[in-house]
Amino acid sequence: MMKRRIITGVAAVGIAFSLAACSAGGRASTEGGTSSGDNKGALVGVAMPTKVSERWIKDGDAVKSDLEKAGYKVDLEYGDNKVQQQAQQVSNMITKGAKVLIIASIDGGALSDQLDAAAKAGIKVISYDRLLTGNKNVDYYVSFDNYKVGVDQATSLLTGLGLVDADGKKTDKKGPFNIEVFAGSLDDNNAGFFFNGAMDTLKPYLEDGTLKIQSGQDQLSQAATQQWDPATAKARMQNLIAKSYSGGTELNGVLSPYDGMSIGIISALQGAGYGSSDRPLPIVTGQDAEQASVKSIIAGQQYSTIYKDTRKLAKQSVTMAEDLLTGKKPEVNDTKSYDNKVKVVPTYLFQPTVVTKDNYKSVLVDSGYYTEADLK
């Protein structure tokens, strides 16, 4: 009796393996792609951080539009800068049966449970512009060269101060110039890249005394601005003016990493009496080419911004999603730079563009990103 049971059990196992082999043979193998089978019209989950910033609205709209044009269903959600809300939104996307997730996180390290759940369900994850950190289940990353963004911001600050010319060459101007530096939110992996790129560029000028940070606040932790909040940036600028520039010392430049913050910073400066013919506004940088800041640049208030064409970013994320859904391996152009603390995430990077009053028409209007009417 015992011998018969053993033989029967072995036979059953053999049948099971045979069926599994037949089943596997009927599926197309994938290289870097998501689950096999027909994913035509599949659901793609798109999680964006907030609608407070104009650029994220543009990003979300562009990704959704491109996915729908390609024939996919889209669940687009905005997290309102609330980590738990975004976590719940991503969980819901997984429950609804999304085949790919495109995530621009609020806090890059706060979605580990969702990333694990996605991997368990065979869902591929594309990290969008803000790198998802602390988890191996991040398949691809699409962004701009974030270190280069910081380099460009610092270079435009130097150009505005007259320390380098339009070609990036040093001039004979000696200074010293007083500057203050701001950084983005510490829960956004990009903030460190921006800040490091900028500070590496400014370092020689700080070391030789051409530039001075009167407040002494030159570390990322000191300059950071939670959730990139304009009101927080304004309050810090007011505090810096009161503590370091109330005795007649003039502020000549401000490194700002984001346009919304730049608007808050400029408001604080104007409140302190800057912006008149005899006391001009300092050189103020920015990022994202938001409409209000481009208007400010045209008006001679903000000096520069960094343009990142969200249409390109959206298109590339959709191309990646399509490749994953059809069993292809997405194209990348960087496999070394973006370590999320667990793995180096394969990345596709675009290059940023500096925008000033001199070139905003050729860069923003001629490309169709804005119309002339948009900027009046």
Side-chain angles (χ1 to χ4, degrees), residues 20-316:
C22 291
S23 176
R27 296 192 190 111
S29 63
T30 62
E31 185 182 7
T34 188
S35 58
S36 53
D38 185 8
N39 285 314
K40 186 176 181 180
L43 177 67
V44 179
V46 181
M48 292 286 154
T50 180
K51 281 189 173 181
V52 171
S53 171
E54 174 192 310
R55 69 127 324 168
W56 292 117
I57 298 173
K58 282 180 172 286
D59 282 80
D61 288 347
V63 173
K64 185 174 187 290
S65 175
D66 286 353
L67 281 168
E68 288 177 340
K69 286 177 184 175
Y72 298 100
K73 299 182 184 73
V74 182
D75 181 7
L76 170 62
E77 300 289 347
Y78 288 86
D80 298 331
N81 271 332
K82 298 173 184 174
V83 175
Q84 284 304 116
Q85 180 172 318
Q86 185 172 63
Q88 186 59 53
Q89 289 171 342
V90 175
S91 292
N92 290 343
M93 292 171 187
I94 295 170
T95 302
K96 291 176 184 177
K99 297 294 186 180
V100 173
L101 297 175
I102 299 173
I103 302 174
S105 63
I106 297 167
D107 180 338
L111 296 175
S112 254
D113 288 347
Q114 285 70 32
L115 296 177
D116 289 343
K120 189 175 180 180
I123 301 167
K124 295 295 185 180
V125 175
I126 299 169
S127 190
Y128 185 96
D129 203 36
R130 293 179 172 182
L131 185 62
L132 292 159
T133 59
N135 192 288
K136 67 180 180 180
N137 300 311
V138 183
D139 297 287
Y140 292 94
Y141 180 41
V142 57
S143 187
F144 283 80
D145 187 336
N146 297 311
Y147 183 86
K148 180 66 161 49
V149 168
V151 170
D152 286 350
Q153 287 175 335
T155 302
S156 71
L157 178 63
L158 295 171
T159 304
L161 291 171
L163 292 169
V164 301
D165 61 21
D167 296 321
K169 295 180 181 178
K170 280 189 175 183
T171 66
D172 295 331
K173 221 166 187 178
K174 301 296 181 186
F177 294 102
N178 295 316
I179 67 167
E180 294 296 334
V181 296
F182 283 71
S185 191
L186 291 178
D187 54 14
D188 182 347
N189 191 68
N190 287 353
F193 279 96
F194 299 150
F195 191 76
N196 291 337
M199 294 306 287
D200 287 350
T201 304
L202 297 177
K203 185 177 180 180
Y205 298 88
L206 291 165
E207 289 180 338
D208 69 14
T210 303
L211 298 178
K212 294 183 178 180
I213 300 175
Q214 289 291 335
S215 70
Q217 297 181 15
D218 60 356
Q219 300 300 306
L220 175 60
S221 59
Q222 296 171 310
T225 308
Q226 184 62 24
Q227 293 190 341
W228 306 83
D229 181 50
T232 302
K234 179 178 179 178
R236 178 169 179 255
M237 187 75 260
Q238 289 171 327
N239 189 50
L240 291 172
I241 293 169
K243 288 188 174 181
S244 302
Y245 299 93
S246 58
T249 303
E250 290 294 306
L251 178 60
N252 306 115
V254 181
L255 177 78
S256 170
Y258 160 57
D259 285 346
M261 289 169 56
S262 306
I263 295 296
I265 289 165
I266 290 169
S267 177
L269 291 165
Q270 290 172 327
Y274 287 92
S276 61
S277 56
D278 58 337
R279 197 184 187 201
L281 281 164
I283 301 301
V284 180
T285 64
Q287 180 180 189
D288 285 342
E290 292 192 346
Q291 193 171 2
S293 279
V294 178
K295 289 181 179 181
S296 180
I297 289 169
I298 295 169
Q301 297 170 336
Q302 187 171 322
Y303 176 73
S304 65
T305 187
I306 302 298
Y307 170 55
K308 303 191 304 188
D309 192 339
T310 55
R311 297 169 299 184
K312 291 181 180 179
L313 208 59
K315 185 175 180 180
Q316 186 60 34

